[in-house]
Amino acid sequence: MAARPHPVPLTADADLIAAFEVLGQKWSGIILHTLATRPARYGELSAAIARISTKMLADRLRELVGAGLVTHTQLPPGPATYALTADGRSLLPALEQIRCWSRQRSHPPCDASRKATPVSARTLPEATFARTVMGSGPGLALAHGAGSSITGTYGPILDGLAAHHTVVGVDYPGSGSTPRSTTPLALDDLADQLVAAAVAEGLETFALHGYSLGGPVAIRAAARHPERVTALVLTATFPHRDNRLVLALPVWRKLAESGDRELLAEYLTMMALGADALEARPDEQLQQAMAFTAASVAEGTPEHAEPAPRIDVRDDLPGIQAPTLVISTTQDWFTSTRLHRQLAETIPNARLAEIATGHLPMVERPEEWRQLITDFLKQHGA
């Protein structure tokens, strides 16, 4: 009589045991999947997950923070913000597989091979802003400064950026060929238009660069569309207003509304050039610089200056997942180095670089500025 085979011994997998000690808790996976969209405050999570009790939500968030899957950041004066860590985001493909399995039980099969992050992708508007498109290679979307345009902000370095990238930049209303807006500009709209323009040009993913006002635009774009952003570079910009901006921006706006371009140019030249560059220019060059500034002021400058004092992207910063470089203009009289450092210290794993210019690196040290940008993008394959 043949011997009966011994059954294969059963062993519970230790890695799965460790994983389900966290994910096996009710609501943990739902919280992680909900945070895939963007960082959120406790109240927002409570509203989004309607059936969870406040105590259960607090307990699960505490466990997920302890497990290193979620971060918990307090940004005064607002309430705490929760965001996925890199480990938390790496779980999203597995959660998407589970979501598809559940859906298959009562619906036609869904595509579980897709990336996890598109479940959080927002619907994009039609790309209506005038745009500049140059070069080839990995995508790079550009957000310009207030009172300027893509060519006004990036003109001296556009060819250098386009040498290795497909560059897409949009002109805000009242800049370039984009008509002025009849309603106040909204940060979300500017961010979505930037992303929509890049996608319309065939870029599914791309790096972002934001200069001055374009910094919050790029930050908001990275927060609202994280699945598309491969890297983020921020120059001479700010996460929120400080007292210097509170004082400087209304003067700028009033001068722009007055129509006195010469007086506006005098103010901007004084404020935007660094001390070294300002003192190095003889009177004739200074007059030429002011004449050029007066001639290049965007018609939509008053509308650009209006939202800047009320912009606040501090809640977006802890959730930025893309590699980030903050370029601090160390002689800047518009946006202070304190604000630059705040960006670098709050965005996870951001790097800070300094350039000895005022608010206009494209005027004072364009090649050094371009090199900082392209070296960082190359380093991160973006």
Side-chain angles (χ1 to χ4, degrees), residues 253-270:
R253 184 183 178 190
K254 290 173 183 176
L255 288 172
E257 290 173 335
S258 74
D260 190 337
R261 290 194 169 209
E262 287 72 23
L263 185 59
L264 174 60
E266 290 178 10
Y267 173 75
L268 291 178
T269 301
M270 175 190 68

Side-chain angles (χ1 to χ4, degrees), residues 134-138 161-167:
M134 297 175 61
S136 61
L161 295 177
H164 303 287
H165 293 86
T166 300
V167 174

Side-chain angles (χ1 to χ4, degrees), residues 24 58 75 95 114 157 173 184 200 210 212 224 246 267 270 273 284 290 294 304 316 332 345 350 374:
L75 294 175
L95 293 176
R114 67 177 183 168
I157 67 169
S212 193
R224 288 171 65 82
V246 168
Y267 173 75
M270 175 190 68
L273 283 177
E284 183 179 351
M290 288 189 290
H304 299 178
D316 294 334
D332 201 324
E345 291 167 359
T374 53

Side-chain angles (χ1 to χ4, degrees), residues 208-364:
L208 289 171
H209 182 281
Y211 164 81
S212 193
L213 176 65
V217 173
I219 290 167
R220 183 56 53 85
R224 288 171 65 82
H225 306 277
E227 72 284 354
R228 298 193 181 277
V229 180
T230 58
L232 177 64
V233 183
L234 306 167
T235 298
T237 190
F238 58 98
H240 66 103
R241 68 178 191 176
D242 62 2
N243 284 339
R244 179 179 295 178
L245 281 172
V246 168
L247 295 170
L249 290 170
V251 175
W252 181 21
R253 184 183 178 190
K254 290 173 183 176
L255 288 172
E257 290 173 335
S258 74
D260 190 337
R261 290 194 169 209
E262 287 72 23
L263 185 59
L264 174 60
E266 290 178 10
Y267 173 75
L268 291 178
T269 301
M270 175 190 68
M271 290 291 293
L273 283 177
D276 292 343
L278 191 62
E279 293 305 318
R281 280 167 166 73
D283 289 346
E284 183 179 351
Q285 288 187 10
L286 206 55
Q287 293 301 319
Q288 290 173 349
M290 288 189 290
F292 176 80
T293 300
S296 59
V297 171
E299 293 293 332
T301 295
E303 293 91 83
H304 299 178
E306 186 276 330
R310 52 184 170 82
I311 284 175
D312 190 337
V313 294
R314 283 176 291 180
D315 283 353
D316 294 334
L317 303 182
I320 299 295
Q321 299 296 320
T324 301
L325 172 67
V326 178
I327 300 176
S328 175
T329 40
T330 59
Q331 298 181 18
D332 201 324
W333 295 341
F334 264 121
T335 62
S336 70
T337 55
R338 184 183 62 83
L339 293 176
H340 307 159
R341 288 194 301 270
Q342 183 179 2
L343 286 167
E345 291 167 359
T346 310
I347 297 173
N349 302 312
R351 176 187 150 201
L352 180 70
E354 295 183 340
I355 185 169
T357 72
H359 198 63
L360 303 176
M362 74 291 294
V363 172
E364 299 178 42

Side-chain angles (χ1 to χ4, degrees), residues 110-143:
C110 63
D111 181 7
S113 65
R114 67 177 183 168
K115 294 180 181 178
T117 47
V119 300
S120 66
R122 297 174 182 270
T123 301
L124 289 170
E126 179 186 357
T128 59
F129 290 2
R131 56 185 181 262
T132 298
V133 184
M134 297 175 61
S136 61
L140 173 60
L142 304 178

Side-chain angles (χ1 to χ4, degrees), residues 72-83:
H72 173 240
T73 305
Q74 182 74 36
L75 294 175
T81 297
Y82 295 89

